[in-house]
Amino acid sequence: MAPVRLRGPNGISTIQVDLTSETYTVQDLQQEIRKATDILPSRQILKCGYPPRSLTLIPELPISSLGLTPGDQIIVNDDPSRAPPPAPAPAAIPRPAAASSQPTSSSAPEHVPTDGSFLIHRVVPDDNSCLFSSVALIFEQDISKAAKMRQIVADGIRKDPETYNEAILGRPVEDYISTILKPSTWGGAIELGILAAYYSTEIASIDVETGRIDHFAPGADDGGMRCLVIYSGIHYDAATLSPMADAPDEWHQTVFPVKSRGDDDSVLIAAKQLADKLRAKRAYTNTSTFTLKCEQCGKGLTGEKEATQHAKETGHTNFGEY
């Protein structure tokens, strides 16, 4: 048996798993996780490594199909939408429901009321393209256009070599461009600044852990509009306005007029409240202090900065949390 750490909604725990047995299955692992977290196997979302990769859960397969190693940490999330449908309730005499604009579904996305609408947390896939998917959702209403967002960034760098030089990018310009075009590469502040300029719209990024708002201004072509992304430390999502918490996607407003250049704009106040709700659920990762191990050479590292530097020096890209 080998120790495997679990990071779930209720904190960190350790379980013992037989990683070498061909008779120990993914289902056996999920049952152990259920004992430790009370999350049903049908509702478990499991991720491992750094950047976190989703584990494909096929219950009948041996545990070796997940590629886990002793000391790995598994991030466990609960997805209520995966729960089996409840048994039908006995028929009852219907009665009129009280009118309400508040959502009643437990699976509704996180949201906060603002100015007669709701600011909705719009979750995008955790696939290393989350920044680009979020911006594509906002400006193109289609997360499948994440690759287009990457191309916009590449073109923006080429068109402005004075601003985006090797010193700013941290590597040769063409090397940076070829890397950012790959779907496995994360985006950050440089990319948000270029996309804000391209769409003539401020992009306000709200940090879940601290509540800080970073404003990426569009520059000279400011159209007086703003949009929102939510940053958890390792993942970006979008935030959009909707008349109801469970309204169809096409009803959502993804860009908003700038009412104030300060953080007292009503939309930004709502965004900070949304971050407060996510922080209360510990839906963030402190990338400057979490401890990592290079799975290729075993070196211990602290935070994203050291991991990035190690990757540059060695070419190693497979990291796990201690």
Side-chain angles (χ1 to χ4, degrees), residues 6 10 13-15 31-39:
L6 303 178
N10 297 322
S13 58
T14 301
I15 60 174
Q31 291 296 343
E32 288 298 320
I33 292 174
R34 179 184 182 180
K35 293 176 185 177
T37 66
D38 289 328
I39 299 175

Side-chain angles (χ1 to χ4, degrees), residues 215-263:
H215 299 264
F216 295 89
D221 295 327
D222 191 341
M225 302 297 284
R226 172 183 286 142
C227 67
L228 303 174
V229 293
I230 306 291
Y231 182 53
S232 73
I234 57 174
H235 182 79
Y236 284 94
D237 287 318
T240 59
L241 279 177
S242 173
M244 298 177 291
D246 56 355
D249 291 350
E250 58 268 24
W251 289 14
H252 284 238
Q253 180 182 351
T254 59
V255 296
F256 332 104
V258 175
K259 300 176 183 177
S260 169
R261 290 296 176 183
D263 289 353

Side-chain angles (χ1 to χ4, degrees), residues 54-114:
S54 295
L55 299 180
T56 301
L57 304 177
I58 303 176
E60 298 80 15
L61 289 184
I63 188 70
S64 58
S65 67
L66 300 180
L68 299 174
T69 58
D72 272 351
Q73 177 171 266
I74 297 176
I75 301 171
V76 185
N77 288 309
D78 183 3
D79 184 358
S81 67
R82 294 186 177 185
I93 299 174
R95 57 183 178 181
S100 172
S101 61
Q102 297 293 332
T104 57
S105 170
S106 61
S107 62
E110 203 65 71
H111 57 275
V112 294
T114 177

Side-chain angles (χ1 to χ4, degrees), residues 281-321:
K281 292 185 172 183
R282 299 195 63 80
Y284 65 88
T285 298
N286 188 323
T287 58
S288 64
T289 59
F290 69 161
T291 53
L292 302 167
K293 178 180 71 174
C294 177
E295 303 291 1
Q296 291 168 261
C297 69
K299 183 176 181 178
L301 304 160
T302 300
E304 184 179 17
K305 184 176 180 180
E306 286 191 13
T308 300
Q309 184 63 32
H310 183 70
K312 288 181 179 178
E313 294 173 352
T314 65
H316 298 171
T317 58
N318 185 14
F319 301 99
E321 284 193 74

Side-chain angles (χ1 to χ4, degrees), residues 127-133 135-136 145-158 176-188 191 194-195 199:
D127 59 1
N128 299 326
S129 284
C130 56
L131 180 150
F132 304 100
S133 295
V135 176
K145 293 187 178 180
K148 177 182 176 181
M149 303 300 105
R150 291 182 181 274
Q151 188 62 57
I152 290 170
V153 169
D155 293 343
I157 292 172
R158 286 197 179 100
Y176 190 97
I177 289 173
S178 64
T179 300
I180 205 63
L181 288 173
K182 296 176 181 177
S184 60
T185 304
W186 293 14
E191 288 67 39
I194 293 172
L195 290 163
Y199 285 103

